[in-house]
Amino acid sequence: MSERTEINDLGEFGLIEHLTRNIELHNASSIVGVGDDAAVIDLLGRQVVVSTDMLVEGVHFDLMYTPLKHLGYKSVVVNLSDIYAMNATPTQVTMNIAFSNRFSLEALEEFYEGVLAACDKYEVDLVGGDTSTSQKGFIISVTAIGEVAENKFVKRSTAQQGDLLCVSGDLGGAFLGLSFLEREKKIFQESPQVQPDLEGEKYVIGRLLKPEARKDIIEFFSASGIMPSAMMDISDGLSSEILHICRQSNLGCVLYEEKIPIHNDTRNAAYKFDLDPTACALSGGEDYELLFTIPQSEHEKLVLNEQLSVIGYMTAPEKGKKIITKGGNTFDITAQGWNAFA
Ligand code: ADP
Ligand code: MG
């Protein structure tokens, strides 16, 4: 009898690792392959960055509360985020869509309005794609291409012991936005006459439905001569991403709970759900902020940007991956990041 292994036993990252374990690169021009936010390719002496992401209805988005225009915008932005996470500048995207006959021309036009709004805002060109039908639901796959000055790309695997661990913006908001929308959806399904009560939650809902990629941070790095030693974007939750940097750089880390940036509106939203705001920042996904490490000597440059927070530092691998709570207790950081297979 042939063996059958459930995908759930591996998890998303275990699966990717398993499927890609036998890849042999045939071309010297493949500079960075699987395992980072984007691949880096050498095209006749110019370095080009490529990344692709898929969004599936019912898994990544729910059209009950996701306006199609926002969805179009977000599907581009999340891909650009991976390009910025390499310290690169996106230049082109391609867009593949598959949709069932439930979708009208007007619906797809709305989706494209959002796609083009993102292309305008980030000054990238939509240069192609593919269109298909699907039996059920809406599937979106975007590929983003970018450029980076020679050898200025930043991987996940090159953090150094003693480096500062930093993030942009604030965390946990998108997860709470999702929690509100899911709650209102349930209420609506049970009693359609009830009006949604989302007043006061604009910030967190905006974080979910209309994320932005941190172009400004990459520009700040360039203008102030900062070169992160490692970087990635935060799509799955801070703890899971920190563990990626630690594992791929073969280091440990210390993270201070009190340093994790959380917006006041996010904090208040968490309390409404009886959730710990820190847990939302650590495990909630889809913030699309940048997580990076820099040498301590760069600290002075960093403090000039109030959008950046130092949240910890990198240690020797045998020190483990630790979080120090506000109360002074030390725990292991565990990956409870959002998992598409959960
Ligand atoms: P991100 O969250 O930054 O989009 P992912 O977690 O999706 O990154 O993917 C991690 C790495 O694995 C990336 O380098 C990606 O290109 C690669 N990858 C993901 N799925 C596959 C696949 N099916 N085949 C080959 N490489 C993959
Ligand atoms: Mg990424």
Side-chain angles (χ1 to χ4, degrees):
M1 220 173 78
S2 65
E3 263 182 66
R4 180 185 157 90
T5 307
E6 298 303 329
I7 302 291
N8 263 332
D9 297 344
L10 289 141
E12 182 183 350
F13 301 114
L15 173 65
I16 296 171
E17 254 172 33
H18 186 80
L19 295 178
T20 58
R21 73 196 182 287
N22 293 327
I23 292 179
E24 284 174 30
L25 297 177
H26 301 291
N27 298 289
S29 55
S30 304
I31 307 175
V32 177
V34 168
D36 231 296
D37 293 285
V40 182
I41 296 165
D42 186 307
L43 290 181
L44 306 172
R46 298 259 303 183
Q47 289 176 347
V48 172
V49 175
V50 187
S51 182
T52 196
D53 250 316
M54 190 153 57
L55 297 175
V56 178
E57 184 179 355
V59 178
H60 299 99
F61 59 90
D62 185 329
L63 289 175
M64 269 206 47
Y65 52 71
T66 311
L68 280 161
K69 188 172 169 182
H70 287 69
L71 182 61
Y73 191 89
K74 180 170 177 173
S75 63
V76 172
V77 163
V78 302
N79 277 274
L80 303 185
S81 177
D82 277 321
I83 300 292
Y84 292 121
M86 299 300 288
N87 199 34
T89 304
T91 47
Q92 284 87 16
V93 288
T94 61
M95 169 67 65
N96 304 323
I97 49 174
F99 45 86
S100 68
N101 59 12
R102 201 175 100 231
F103 290 82
S104 65
L105 173 63
E106 289 71 21
L108 295 175
E109 279 176 348
E110 218 185 300
F111 175 78
Y112 260 74
E113 263 182 54
V115 168
L116 296 183
C119 289
D120 281 347
K121 165 131 191 201
Y122 290 90
E123 297 177 298
V124 300
D125 301 319
L126 177 57
V127 292
D130 198 16
T131 304
S132 168
T133 51
S134 78
Q135 288 202 336
K136 218 173 137 242
F138 192 17
I139 299 167
I140 305 154
S141 168
V142 176
T143 299
I145 297 166
E147 48 189 38
V148 61
E150 198 179 354
N151 295 331
K152 295 289 191 210
F153 60 84
V154 177
K155 302 202 290 180
R156 298 173 177 181
S157 57
T158 39
Q160 303 293 316
Q161 193 175 322
D163 283 354
L164 301 174
L165 182 62
C166 314
V167 286
S168 65
D170 56 80
L171 301 173
F175 171 75
L176 284 152
L178 177 66
S179 305
F180 275 112
L181 292 170
E182 284 286 333
R183 186 188 73 185
E184 292 308 311
K185 176 184 166 184
K186 257 207 197 106
I187 294 173
F188 176 79
Q189 282 171 334
E190 283 158 17
S191 8
Q193 73 284 0
V194 177
Q195 286 297 307
D197 171 22
L198 297 169
E199 256 327 291
E201 313 306 342
K202 284 206 177 80
Y203 180 73
V204 293
I205 290 173
R207 292 289 285 162
L208 178 77
L209 295 183
K210 195 173 176 288
E212 300 290 354
R214 295 315 300 252
K215 178 184 191 196
D216 59 325
I217 302 298
I218 299 310
E219 289 171 349
F220 171 76
F221 288 158
S222 166
S224 42
I226 295 176
M227 180 77 175
S229 48
M231 183 155 59
M232 66 183 298
D233 71 339
I234 305 179
S235 48
D236 291 346
L238 180 64
S239 58
S240 133
E241 314 298 30
I242 286 179
L243 294 178
H244 280 303
I245 293 213
C246 286
R247 191 174 55 89
Q248 291 181 238
S249 296
N250 190 28
L251 292 173
C253 73
V254 172
L255 167 67
Y256 294 100
E257 180 189 11
E258 64 182 345
K259 305 274 187 204
I260 299 173
I262 299 176
H263 194 281
N264 252 339
D265 291 0
T266 301
R267 210 173 280 286
N268 291 332
Y271 295 143
K272 289 184 193 168
F273 281 94
D274 263 334
L275 292 170
D276 174 11
T278 302
C280 297
L282 286 173
S283 303
E286 300 213 85
D287 289 314
Y288 299 104
E289 295 295 344
L290 293 171
L291 173 68
F292 59 96
T293 58
I294 54 161
Q296 285 182 30
S297 55
E298 302 280 80
H299 184 247
E300 272 174 38
K301 297 181 189 167
L302 199 77
V303 293
L304 297 174
N305 191 326
E306 60 181 23
Q307 284 289 307
L308 299 178
S309 311
V310 177
I311 56 172
Y313 61 94
M314 306 306 290
T315 61
E318 61 273 14
K319 295 271 170 75
K321 296 120 187 151
K322 304 290 182 190
I323 179 166
I324 300 181
T325 66
K326 288 174 185 164
N329 295 313
T330 303
F331 294 102
D332 284 334
I333 299 174
T334 55
Q336 286 162 339
W338 181 84
N339 181 344
F341 296 101

